[in-house]
Amino acid sequence: NVTPPIADAMKKGDFNFFRKNWILEEEKFLKAPADLKPQLQALKQYVEKNNSRLLVFYIPSRNQVSTYYYQFEKQYCLINCPDAMNLTTDAYHIHRKMLAARCSELSIPFFDLTNPIISEESKDNHLYCGYDDHMRGKGYIFTAKKMYAWWREINN
């Protein structure tokens, strides 16, 4: 199921064994609806009770913004994965739309980072790590700057 270097890294404990075939699980999760209204209501009430304000930021999966990362996913999904897989289509973006709608309904400020990240990825400036879901340092800096700019905008 995985390439020999990935298998060696897994055996050494340097690579998460649960990443094997993970893209197939992610594909299912990204298409499954999830209504977070109760959780958002509870968080908003808690935050407001403590004299603060809830802001929600949506950071998409790397596979939702670019097909570039599939080359890495394929290395630990050799048998069950197709040669190509594209999770950038609308079918895999339902959560951000659902979250935006619920935040609007509950008057919670919401900022979706999908389009800025897609724009940056399209310049071959890859913000995420190759072999896991985390961002690289430059990805965190990029998103933090976008989040801060939006925060300043809504607070002026």
Side-chain angles (χ1 to χ4, degrees), residues 12-26:
K12 289 180 192 171
D14 294 335
F15 195 97
N16 185 348
F17 174 82
F18 292 103
R19 293 292 302 172
K20 179 178 68 83
N21 299 329
W22 179 251
I23 188 75
L24 300 175
E25 295 302 313
E26 184 176 6

Side-chain angles (χ1 to χ4, degrees), residues 77-133:
C77 190
L78 294 176
I79 297 170
N80 297 326
C81 285
D83 290 336
M85 184 179 265
N86 184 352
L87 305 185
T88 66
T89 64
D90 283 346
Y92 302 102
H93 285 272
I94 63 171
H95 297 130
R96 71 184 179 121
K97 294 171 186 172
M98 294 173 74
L99 191 56
R102 286 300 191 206
C103 284
S104 176
E105 180 184 322
L106 297 169
S107 299
I108 299 170
F110 175 78
F111 185 64
D112 181 359
L113 285 145
T114 303
N115 289 332
I117 292 173
I118 287 173
S119 177
E120 203 62 21
E121 287 281 340
S122 72
K123 299 173 191 170
D124 284 334
N125 186 18
H126 301 296
L127 302 177
Y128 296 82
C129 294
Y131 291 98
D132 71 33
D133 297 325

